[in-house]
Amino acid sequence: MFHFLSYLVSTSQSPKTKNTKMVTNCRIAYAFVIGLSLLIATAAEDPYKFYEWHVSYGTISPMGVQQQGILINKMFPGPEIRSVTNDNLIINVFNELDEPFLISWAGIQNRKNSFQDGVYGTTCPIPPGKNYTYALQVKDQIGSFYYFPSLGFHKAAGGFGGIRISSRPMIPVPFPPPADDYTVLIGDWYKTDHKALRAQLDNGGKLPPPDGILINGLSNGATINIQPGNTYRLRISNVGLQNSLNFRIQNHTMKLVEVEGKHTLQNVYSSLDVHLGQSYSVLITANQPGKDYYIVVSSRFTPNVLTTTGVLHYSNSAGPVSGPIPDAPASMSWSFSQARTIRTNLTASGPRPNPQGTYHYGGINVTRTIKLVNSAGQINGKQRYAVNSASFTPSDTPLKLADYFKIDGVYKPGSISDQPKNAPIFSVTSVLQADHKAFVEIVFENWENIVQSWHFNGYSFFVVGMELGKWRPDSRKVYNLNDAVSRCTVQVYPRSWTAIYLALDNVGMWNLRSELWERQYLGQQLYVRVYTTSTSPRDEYQIPTNALLCGRASGAHKGLLSVSGFEN
Ligand SMILES: *[C@@H]1O[C@H](CO)[C@@H](O)[C@H](O)[C@H]1NC(C)=O
Ligand SMILES: *[C@@H]1O[C@H](CO)[C@@H](O)[C@H](O)[C@H]1NC(C)=O
Ligand SMILES: *[C@@H]1O[C@H](CO)[C@@H](O)[C@H](O)[C@H]1NC(C)=O
Ligand SMILES: *[C@@H]1O[C@H](CO)[C@@H](O)[C@H](O)[C@H]1NC(C)=O
């Protein structure tokens, strides 16, 4: 805790006037050197990495027409974060847009620290012209993730980028080091400005289908360079808004090695379904005659299939791409079957040296079953989406801050039922109350004709089952209680269910949301308040000393010495 105190003292002495980037970086670094020197006894030599990000508008034309994009340090997509397990990432984000802004970190667990989660319910938006320094630790994590802007419809304009967390040098990785490692951000895209899209939803409408698909910000010609004989890692994330996507490479297979931080059974696929918000690592080997091959990304299960191609370019290429663009497997049942083959390699190491199979999730008794059903409907003639009939509406104050400062009336714990309701859709600031250390089964049921995708911040969960039809207690007979993959984003097929097991070991206020961005924006999300009566920093960190305050928390004092629990 001394660490946080010294951070406060040092940074609060920084002048508010404009510094050069270099001076700014030095100042922050200096603050942390002091912090670190006082911290030796408690939390380790985990390295610190410093970033300064300027978020601004800029003209981009990914689909051949100019539009306003959201750039980070002038880049679209934004810069990649390369980290190692347990690194502390100190990211100073300057909002140079004309609207409040937040970045969230899909898959970074922010253990004990939902304050850094960068979503409406945990963190005050960064006002235009202001900055906020996120302090994240990628504690006990490995794998491939991404960041994205969480407010409004900013995600439709960019502001996203890859995050990779490598294993520490002494921890075995279950495949040889690849010759190179590429981030491949795929996603559907609109030519329409993010504010216009948002206005359509605010006015009660729905989104039209997307205009196209981008690979690393390009609708055409994204290129991956390879040399004959080598093996490469591709980290593929679906950062789009509406569509599940299929990823494939002409005449090449992909060996799956990692899913959202878990090393998997190394199955070989000729194409891979990547649902909204999901991330996969595959290995590809340059074992074909030297030429160029199509990289293909196409929308899944949409009436009108959108397709984009990129190029896999051999260094000894004898010619451009040729031949037919390979098709995606047509059926939903193919996708279902593929999903069931994605499993954990129990003997491989994860972030720690011990095998991933050491934790026997199948032997733990479930303490609570939660069933969540998504639906669509209208309130006062306007389109809304809901979970168990509750359509999430933001309150005026981040929920986590309301909790921290004990501000009543912002939300009610238990304002969403943990079972489906046979009731019309209603607006509420939905917060599900749950006990720290509960072991929970969540059944997602999707009675609609869409592919749903659910993401849970702060957690990784075991995907124990996925079947067509309605879930019944005896559906548990088909659960995989041995080597289910654990991940942070899971799809639910149309008129199907997906069940997950989840150890609620991370205290905080955590966003559970649909990754279909229209649905998320119009109410298909909630917060899970993982609660303990303990106020020990062993269970949850104190509010960051630089936390922005807003809404009914505006006047609150962080009051470090009185509120912070130093007495613990
Ligand atoms: C904003 O950036 C300055 C350095 O330029 C830093 O001292 C300050 O802590 C940052 N503000 C927040 C709220 O993180
Ligand atoms: C892909 O492989 C098939 C079968 O080996 C071959 O006939 C075809 O020409 C290859 N396509 C390209 C673009 O090289
Ligand atoms: C699982 O990981 C081990 C390394 O611990 C590796 O030797 C083995 O081939 C992997 N098994 C599969 C099926 O991927
Ligand atoms: C789970 O519950 C069963 C039946 O109530 C009990 O016999 C068993 O010991 C429990 N297992 C664990 C690991 O707590």
Side-chain angles (χ1 to χ4, degrees):
M1 280 300 100
F2 285 115
H3 164 218
F4 287 106
L5 177 61
S6 54
Y7 180 44
L8 170 76
V9 170
S10 312
T11 55
S12 64
Q13 288 164 354
S14 301
K16 293 281 179 281
T17 51
K18 273 217 160 119
N19 293 310
T20 65
K21 276 187 196 177
M22 199 143 107
V23 171
T24 306
N25 281 336
C26 289
R27 246 173 237 289
I28 298 177
Y30 174 67
F32 274 91
V33 170
I34 296 176
L36 279 174
S37 64
L38 292 172
L39 189 68
I40 288 158
T42 51
E45 318 80 13
D46 294 332
Y48 281 76
K49 293 198 172 122
F50 299 93
Y51 302 83
E52 181 171 315
W53 283 2
H54 292 263
V55 180
S56 65
Y57 286 126
T59 302
I60 55 172
S61 39
M63 299 204 60
V65 292
Q66 294 200 336
Q67 64 187 113
Q68 189 183 55
I70 292 180
L71 316 183
I72 297 182
N73 295 349
K74 307 262 186 262
M75 293 164 73
F76 168 73
E80 187 171 274
I81 294 179
R82 298 193 175 188
S83 63
V84 177
T85 303
N86 293 350
D87 277 357
N88 292 286
L89 307 176
I90 311 302
I91 308 169
N92 195 355
V93 177
F94 289 78
N95 176 12
E96 294 166 11
L97 307 180
D98 56 355
E99 314 193 313
F101 184 81
L102 277 180
I103 289 186
S104 190
W105 324 89
I108 304 302
Q109 291 175 3
N110 286 318
R111 296 197 65 78
K112 311 176 189 177
N113 203 357
S114 60
F115 293 109
Q116 301 287 1
D117 223 26
V119 285
Y120 146 80
T122 63
T123 316
C124 290
I126 309 170
K130 296 280 193 278
N131 67 299
Y132 173 68
T133 310
Y134 289 89
L136 316 174
Q137 188 179 16
V138 291
K139 184 78 183 155
D140 277 328
Q141 289 198 265
I142 54 164
S144 313
F145 306 99
Y146 67 95
Y147 61 85
F148 67 96
S150 65
L151 295 181
F153 242 66
H154 291 163
K155 198 181 175 193
F160 45 72
I163 302 177
R164 54 177 81 166
I165 312 172
S166 304
S167 299
R168 286 168 290 170
M170 303 311 289
I171 312 285
V173 173
F175 49 90
D180 212 335
D181 189 326
Y182 294 107
T183 291
V184 185
L185 302 176
I186 59 177
D188 50 19
W189 189 261
Y190 289 86
K191 293 186 221 168
T192 311
D193 186 73
H194 71 97
K195 287 184 185 171
L197 292 174
R198 186 177 67 202
Q200 262 172 283
L201 302 181
D202 289 342
N203 291 336
K206 298 173 82 163
L207 282 192
D211 298 313
I213 292 172
L214 306 187
I215 306 175
N216 287 343
L218 298 170
S219 60
N220 199 346
T223 302
I224 294 174
N225 292 305
I226 60 173
Q227 295 193 347
N230 283 348
T231 295
Y232 298 85
R233 180 174 186 167
L234 307 186
R235 301 174 188 252
I236 308 161
S237 298
N238 184 342
V239 297
L241 304 169
Q242 287 273 72
N243 288 333
S244 296
L245 299 173
N246 181 268
F247 182 92
R248 54 203 184 272
I249 303 179
Q250 187 182 32
N251 281 28
H252 289 75
T253 55
M254 302 177 277
K255 185 189 274 189
L256 185 70
V257 292
E258 179 251 333
V259 173
E260 294 160 20
K262 209 64 163 185
H263 287 132
T264 59
L265 293 185
Q266 296 180 2
N267 302 321
V268 174
Y269 302 105
S270 54
S271 81
L272 190 61
D273 275 351
V274 187
H275 302 279
L276 283 164
Q278 295 185 333
S279 298
Y280 289 96
S281 284
V282 298
L283 300 180
I284 57 160
T285 299
N287 56 8
Q288 295 297 303
K291 63 182 289 293
D292 288 358
Y293 296 87
Y294 285 115
I295 297 169
V296 191
V297 184
S298 57
S299 62
R300 275 317 239 164
F301 318 122
T302 51
N304 180 19
V305 177
L306 300 169
T307 302
T308 276
T309 60
V311 178
L312 184 71
H313 174 73
Y314 277 64
S315 59
N316 62 342
S317 174
V321 287
S322 62
I325 294 173
D327 286 331
S331 73
M332 190 84 71
S333 64
W334 178 92
S335 190
F336 243 119
S337 312
Q338 176 171 72
R340 293 195 193 96
T341 63
I342 296 173
R343 293 187 283 155
T344 301
N345 181 336
L346 297 175
T347 61
S349 297
R352 291 168 181 252
N354 52 323
Q356 298 179 133
T358 312
Y359 180 72
H360 297 286
Y361 68 93
I364 304 172
N365 286 338
V366 165
T367 54
R368 182 172 176 190
T369 294
I370 295 170
K371 190 168 168 190
L372 301 175
V373 176
N374 51 269
S375 62
Q378 293 200 328
I379 298 180
N380 299 331
K382 291 185 162 187
Q383 182 65 39
R384 295 296 298 181
Y385 297 96
V387 187
N388 290 355
S389 301
S391 185
F392 184 86
T393 316
S395 184
D396 58 5
T397 306
L399 312 176
K400 183 66 216 167
L401 297 191
D403 251 13
Y404 187 82
F405 293 116
K406 303 188 168 39
I407 304 168
D408 285 337
V410 173
Y411 74 91
K412 270 196 1 232
S415 45
I416 175 169
S417 160
D418 70 1
Q419 300 297 319
K421 282 190 150 184
N422 194 5
I425 291 181
F426 62 98
S427 288
V428 63
T429 306
S430 333
V431 177
L432 195 96
Q433 174 86 0
D435 294 333
H436 183 211
K437 301 203 171 136
F439 191 75
V440 174
E441 172 188 45
I442 301 181
V443 178
F444 296 106
E445 264 190 11
N446 175 17
W447 303 341
E448 297 181 80
N449 192 23
I450 49 135
V451 183
Q452 181 58 272
S453 181
W454 290 107
H455 175 86
F456 193 23
N457 280 15
Y459 283 91
S460 167
F461 48 73
F462 294 91
V463 182
V464 294
M466 196 182 276
E467 297 284 333
L468 202 63
K470 291 205 174 180
W471 182 91
R472 298 192 316 263
D474 75 353
S475 303
R476 293 186 175 117
K477 287 183 192 141
V478 304
Y479 281 6
N480 176 353
L481 296 181
N482 181 42
D483 63 354
V485 74
S486 86
R487 63 187 313 173
C488 54
T489 313
V490 72
Q491 73 273 26
V492 192
Y493 290 100
R495 294 172 298 278
S496 301
W497 57 266
T498 295
I500 64 171
Y501 275 6
L502 173 63
L504 291 180
D505 56 2
N506 194 8
V507 174
M509 185 70 79
W510 301 106
N511 190 211
L512 173 58
R513 62 171 175 269
S514 172
E515 286 291 317
L516 284 80
W517 222 238
E518 170 188 15
R519 289 173 166 259
Q520 179 271 153
Y521 185 75
L522 292 180
Q524 214 158 65
Q525 59 170 315
L526 57 121
Y527 283 79
V528 179
R529 181 191 194 221
V530 180
Y531 181 75
T532 170
T533 52
S534 155
T535 54
S536 164
R538 274 189 302 275
D539 293 316
E540 188 178 24
Y541 295 156
Q542 301 304 327
I543 192 167
T545 55
N546 64 336
L548 302 173
L549 300 179
C550 58
R552 275 182 263 174
S554 299
H557 290 283
K558 278 167 269 184
L560 262 189
L561 294 173
S562 54
V563 192
S564 73
F566 276 97
E567 62 281 3
N568 291 316

